[in-house]
Amino acid sequence: MTPAEVPGQQCETALRADAERNRERIMAAARRLYATEGLGVSMASVAREAGVGKATLSRRFATREDLINAVFADRMDDYAAAIAEALADPDPWHGFTRYLESICAMQAADRGFAAVLAMSFPAAKDLEARRTESYRGFLKLIRRAKGTGHLRADFTSEDLVVLLMANAGVIAATGDDAPGTWRRLVGQMLRAFAVPGAPVPALPASPDSADLFRAMTRFGRLSEP
């Protein structure tokens, strides 16, 4: 009898496979919900979306931070890759502007990730380690961009945090009503960061007034107690 034919080992293998399937279902459900509804989704909602019990969810992911850490691991890889690409650009100013546009686009593509970049999760060790790595790269990018004479001397890394928080708010507020609004925000902020006369990407068009009004109305309803 081969090891695969031993009943006990067959049962153990089946349990491991079932546990892995449940983990993947949970992560897929959380990714869908976080992307469309943000990080405010409850663990109970994730369990329902995944079709598993709360106990099963808790066995796979003991805390909300554990789940967030797992769900956004690949997004943080993309985030780290973006700063590496920016640092590799032979034109540091171009690398700087493209980096800001890229990470804000990542936020726009996933409401959950928009919040992740604008918040801190001390208990999510791996996620925070990748964020710290990218932050150090951004400090280097700032120094290089300032060296071109195009980035304002008073720009600080905290300005990036403010931009990401503002962008997350705009994305949440405009939703599907005026989805391109974030591009206008980023375009205006790049102009605020640049010294007069510095080359900047073309300014995206303003959102349509009717679309923006619908977004304001919807966001007002969501904000009601």
Side-chain angles (χ1 to χ4, degrees):
M1 180 177 291
T2 66
E5 294 173 324
V6 177
Q9 291 184 345
Q10 287 181 323
C11 182
E12 182 179 346
T13 299
L15 287 173
R16 284 200 301 267
D18 185 58
E20 183 58 27
R21 280 194 298 271
N22 283 337
R23 185 177 189 278
E24 292 302 320
R25 287 168 63 185
I26 292 167
M27 287 182 59
R31 187 172 285 115
R32 287 193 300 272
L33 291 175
Y34 289 155
T36 57
E37 300 180 29
L39 296 185
V41 174
S42 68
M43 294 289 274
S45 295
V46 172
R48 283 195 299 271
E49 178 75 9
V52 301
K54 293 181 181 179
T56 298
L57 174 60
S58 296
R59 282 195 298 272
R60 303 280 78 78
F61 303 98
T63 67
R64 173 173 172 264
E65 286 75 15
D66 289 340
L67 180 57
I68 289 172
N69 193 77
V71 167
F72 292 105
D74 58 343
R75 302 291 195 277
M76 292 306 291
D77 287 342
D78 293 339
Y79 184 51
I83 191 63
E85 182 179 345
L87 289 170
D89 194 316
D91 181 347
W93 173 245
H94 179 262
F96 176 85
T97 59
R98 287 294 299 132
Y99 175 70
L100 294 192
E101 290 176 328
S102 295
I103 59 174
C104 287
M106 291 179 194
Q107 286 186 300
D110 187 325
R111 283 189 61 190
F113 193 56
V116 165
L117 290 186
M119 300 168 66
S120 179
F121 302 90
K125 302 298 184 183
D126 292 342
L127 186 152
E128 290 301 317
R130 299 309 302 276
R131 190 201 305 275
T132 299
E133 177 187 347
S134 296
Y135 176 75
R136 289 171 180 159
F138 185 61
L139 293 178
K140 185 182 297 184
L141 185 61
I142 291 174
R143 291 194 296 271
R144 292 182 179 182
K146 286 183 177 179
T148 67
H150 297 321
L151 179 61
R152 289 175 52 133
D154 59 358
F155 179 89
T156 70
S157 59
E158 287 76 18
D159 291 321
L160 173 64
V161 178
V162 172
L163 172 60
L164 294 177
M165 292 176 71
N167 196 45
V170 167
I171 292 165
T174 54
D176 296 327
D177 297 301
T181 304
W182 70 271
R183 297 183 185 278
R184 180 75 174 188
L185 169 69
V186 175
Q188 293 287 22
M189 292 305 295
L190 284 176
R191 280 156 177 73
F193 299 154
V195 301
V200 291
L203 183 64
S206 297
D208 180 82
S209 58
D211 292 342
L212 195 57
F213 178 76
R214 282 194 295 273
M216 293 168 65
T217 301
R218 181 185 62 83
F219 192 63
R221 287 197 298 267
L222 292 175
S223 301
E224 291 176 356

